[in-house]
Amino acid sequence: EDSKTKLKIDFDTISKITLTTLMTEDKPHKIEVSDSEWKGIFDKLNSFNLLKKKDQETKAGWEYFFLIEYKDTKKTPMQISISDNKIIVDNTVYEISNYNNQDFLAEMNTKIALAYLDLNQPENALSYIGVAQKNTITTNFNFNNYNIPLIKATILAKNNKNNEALFLVKKNIEQLV
């Protein structure tokens, strides 16, 4: 019989979270995630109903890979890989039953864009916000109200790469999440 479970990610026990993505190009992107800015994402991950799959094939492509390291260095780091409708936790494959793929992707890509703006990498921020916009076409994610100012701000950031442009992009993206 299949068993349902939930992730139990507790921020108080975590020392470091690294996110690796393959969303926009062949070369993986790695960013260190701060728990305060990403708490909403992990609350959502913790809320997913996970159903252990009989087929434990783990070779399907992945979109996001989290490596969670703990303050207790004797504890083995947790590895979470998320793709379309499955999640792999430490090599165990689960199906996600209460999961809106496009909503989650829009939120993840928006958060990644913000992280790249904080790192002063507007080109990477533009790549991820472009993917987030594509995700929102089929979702109720509240993105459409900000398309025009966001596009203007991202063009400024792309062309000028100056602090004012980065501020405009970040301000517009922060209104989305």
Side-chain angles (χ1 to χ4, degrees), residues 113-134:
L114 278 171
Y116 277 117
L117 284 176
D118 287 343
L119 296 170
N120 284 321
Q121 296 181 25
E123 293 295 324
N124 286 334
L126 282 167
S127 296
Y128 282 92
I129 206 60
V131 174
Q133 282 182 293
K134 289 177 189 165

Side-chain angles (χ1 to χ4, degrees), residues 119-174:
L119 296 170
N120 284 321
Q121 296 181 25
E123 293 295 324
N124 286 334
L126 282 167
S127 296
Y128 282 92
I129 206 60
V131 174
Q133 282 182 293
K134 289 177 189 165
N135 297 138
T136 61
I137 292 168
T138 59
T139 169
N140 294 325
F141 190 73
N142 187 15
F143 196 97
N144 293 327
N145 296 337
Y146 305 101
N147 278 357
I148 293 169
L150 182 62
I151 290 166
K152 285 180 181 175
T154 52
I155 289 169
L156 276 173
K158 186 173 184 178
N159 291 337
N160 302 326
K161 293 185 184 171
N162 64 33
N163 289 336
E164 181 184 356
L166 288 171
F167 173 78
L168 285 171
V169 175
K170 186 168 183 184
K171 179 180 167 193
N172 281 287
I173 295 172
E174 283 175 339

Side-chain angles (χ1 to χ4, degrees), residues 11 14 18 32 34 46 52 55 60 68 109 130 135 137 149 155 163 165 176:
F11 278 110
I14 295 171
T18 306
E32 194 167 320
S34 101
N46 282 337
K52 190 172 179 180
D55 171 16
I68 299 173
N109 287 312
N135 297 138
I137 292 168
I155 289 169
N163 289 336
L176 307 176

Side-chain angles (χ1 to χ4, degrees), residues 8 13 19 21 49 64 75 84 125 145 150 161 175-176:
K8 293 176 182 87
T13 64
L19 169 65
T21 70
N49 293 322
Y64 305 101
K75 192 170 180 181
D84 291 330
N145 296 337
L150 182 62
K161 293 185 184 171
Q175 292 176 29
L176 307 176

